Amino acid sequence: MKLAVVGGGSTYTPELIDGFARLRDTLPITELVLVDPAAERLELVAGLARRIFARQGHPGRIVTTGDLDAGVADADAVLLQLRIGGQAARERDETWPLECGCVGQETTGAGGLAKALRTVPVVLDIAERVRRANPDAWIIDFTNPVGIVTRALLHAGHRAVGLCNVAIGLQRKFAHLLDVTPAEVHLDHVGLNHLTWERAVRVGGPDGTDVLPRLLAEHGEAIAADLRLPRPVLDRLGVVPSYYLRYYYAHDEVVRELGTRPSRAAEVAAMEKQLLEMYGDPALDEKPALLARRGGAYYSEAAVDLAAALLGGGGSPYQVVNTYNNGTLPFLPDDAVIETQAAVGAKGAVPLPVAPVDPLYAGLIANVTAYEDLALDAALRGGRDRVFKALLAHPLIGQYEYAEGLTDRLIAHNREHLAWA
């Protein structure tokens, strides 16, 4: 089995490698190709990757290349983990929206739109080259904003599934609190990428007992602290929102906080410098503890689980993924991309039935879906007016003066990545 990781020079890759090594019985990789144009960085990451495989006795071969076409040739699955513009672009995404009094964040709001505009054309080019090399290959997208990028891939007819680590992180946390294995925890996870709620936590599978009320009663303070939301909010809602909902439920508070501290991009850039120095140590043969602070917890396990299921091997029968709505949420178009529990197999992901969604959540889901539709249109066709309309539609913006100012800033800070600008 051959897998390719596009963006393989990421400092996060050793986390993925560790998962491939530990779970080799689930996903028996014979060849893993790390694809990245940054040759020096790629070799540092690959050196550690090979040592991790050797330490854990994995027989697979790790290959590096800067040639995308060669890297994806004959691959059974291609994982995408890209950051167009690097941490420098992320730094800008997280700062210029604050000038207009809006959240600066890399996956939602104006910063998220900027990332989508930079990313979608590049991903579609990569996917087309994957299709030419091997039309049966699966594309697993972990590139943010996952919902918009996955929608672009599916609309273009690619065999693609989007993946995020929010659900698997909550699953692991709840399993720990309940003293059960993660495999026993099934989430009633509803919404869009980075806009989701856990409405039930069932032990034993989709038809198991809902223990969410118990979790909130016994561990509500700890859960609320992780989400950085007040405990009474969880009690009133009776659900566990994704931590990204804080950008909506406490927008002004978050904007004030972001204006008083270094950006997350600056923190990650400093960590990446340290990590690359560590990766160059020939004695290091395991992922360093610092990597846990880099973000993306449990992505490796989710990626292994999803790839194994898609390629007809092991993998959990039910997984939270990003895929076409196809009537699952009746208030959305069929071709919207939702994040939900799905049955995953060799033919792809089929969403499980979802109970009716409360208007409190359905309204916001529908609003952000409309924004994502406009965002994808702007990413595919460009133009200032399309950017403005997408920003105006976003519930974190929604005022024409903000949308005007943000449009000008977005274009000014991203001109080198926007062919139409």
Side-chain angles (χ1 to χ4, degrees):
M1 180 184 296
K2 176 180 176 179
L3 264 65
V5 180
V6 180
S10 167
T11 55
Y12 188 73
T13 296
E15 171 68 32
L16 190 61
I17 298 297
D18 179 72
F20 288 158
R22 288 186 294 103
L23 303 171
R24 57 185 174 273
D25 291 338
T26 302
L27 189 67
I29 299 170
T30 54
E31 182 177 352
L32 177 64
V33 184
L34 305 181
V35 184
D36 205 295
E40 183 177 353
R41 180 184 178 116
L42 180 60
E43 288 309 317
L44 285 174
V45 171
L48 175 56
R50 293 185 182 107
R51 295 192 297 272
I52 291 173
F53 264 28
R55 175 184 174 135
Q56 299 196 32
H58 195 296
R61 185 168 71 111
I62 295 178
V63 179
T64 62
T65 182
D67 184 332
L68 176 68
D69 295 311
V72 303
D74 301 319
D76 298 290
V78 177
L79 280 66
L80 304 181
Q81 52 174 33
L82 310 175
R83 184 178 296 282
I84 307 303
Q87 293 298 333
R90 178 180 181 175
E91 168 80 16
R92 294 191 292 271
D93 292 345
E94 293 178 344
T95 51
W96 55 262
L98 297 174
E99 297 170 6
C100 295
C102 296
V103 161
Q105 212 278 330
E106 66 157 342
T107 66
T108 191
L113 177 61
K115 194 170 194 301
L117 296 182
R118 293 193 303 269
T119 305
V120 165
V122 176
V123 166
L124 288 178
D125 177 65
I126 292 169
E128 191 57 42
R129 291 159 75 174
V130 170
R131 178 155 53 190
R132 288 200 300 265
N134 180 8
D136 293 326
W138 280 101
I139 295 175
I140 297 174
D141 177 60
F142 193 62
T143 297
N144 280 319
V146 167
I148 296 172
V149 173
T150 302
R151 194 173 187 183
L153 288 166
L154 291 174
H155 280 200
H158 297 291
R159 286 163 58 86
V161 181
L163 184 63
C164 180
N165 69 322
V166 168
I168 194 171
L170 287 171
Q171 180 198 44
R172 296 315 196 252
K173 169 176 278 298
F174 296 153
H176 174 72
L177 294 174
L178 295 166
D179 195 24
V180 299
T181 66
E184 295 177 84
V185 176
H186 183 92
L187 303 177
D188 179 2
H189 181 97
V190 64
L192 312 176
N193 179 240
H194 290 185
L195 193 87
T196 52
W197 298 262
E198 312 306 329
R199 301 185 300 172
V201 178
R202 303 189 185 280
V203 176
D207 299 319
T209 302
D210 180 16
V211 296
L212 180 56
R214 172 186 153 195
L215 277 170
L216 291 175
E218 296 179 2
H219 304 285
E221 289 292 344
I223 295 170
D226 279 350
L227 301 173
R228 301 189 63 202
L229 287 170
R231 164 73 185 272
V233 171
L234 301 192
D235 291 337
R236 292 179 70 180
L237 296 178
V239 302
V240 176
S242 152
Y243 53 82
Y244 286 93
L245 264 298
R246 186 168 184 262
Y247 296 118
Y248 296 82
Y249 293 164
H251 176 274
D252 293 353
E253 179 183 349
V254 171
V255 169
R256 288 193 295 270
E257 289 177 3
L258 293 175
T260 62
R261 64 173 192 245
S263 68
R264 174 63 177 165
E267 294 175 356
V268 171
M271 271 186 268
E272 288 196 332
K273 184 178 179 180
Q274 288 181 265
L275 287 168
L276 288 171
E277 290 174 357
M278 292 178 179
Y279 296 172
D281 180 357
L284 183 67
D285 59 3
E286 61 183 345
K287 63 179 183 180
L290 178 62
L291 189 55
R293 293 168 48 202
R294 169 68 177 76
Y298 304 113
Y299 165 45
S300 61
E301 295 178 33
V304 168
D305 216 15
L306 179 54
L310 291 172
L311 297 176
S316 304
Y318 305 116
Q319 301 179 37
V320 174
V321 298
N322 286 260
T323 191
Y324 270 148
N325 177 47
N326 280 341
T328 307
L329 301 181
F331 55 89
L332 296 184
D334 285 349
D335 66 351
V337 165
I338 62 173
E339 187 169 288
T340 188
Q341 284 278 6
V344 183
K347 293 184 178 180
V350 179
L352 300 182
V354 170
V357 179
D358 187 290
L360 179 61
Y361 315 122
L364 188 52
I365 292 169
N367 191 337
V368 175
T369 297
Y371 151 75
E372 291 190 348
D373 186 56
L374 293 167
L376 181 55
D377 186 45
L380 294 175
R381 298 201 289 161
R384 189 186 188 282
D385 285 349
R386 294 187 181 93
V387 172
F388 170 80
K389 289 176 182 178
L391 290 168
L392 187 63
H394 201 295
L396 293 179
I397 300 165
Q399 298 184 51
Y400 73 86
E401 287 190 23
Y402 289 171
E404 286 282 9
L406 290 168
T407 298
D408 291 337
R409 288 168 172 80
L410 185 155
I411 293 172
H413 284 290
N414 291 276
R415 198 175 300 275
E416 65 182 295
H417 300 289
L418 306 176
W420 52 268

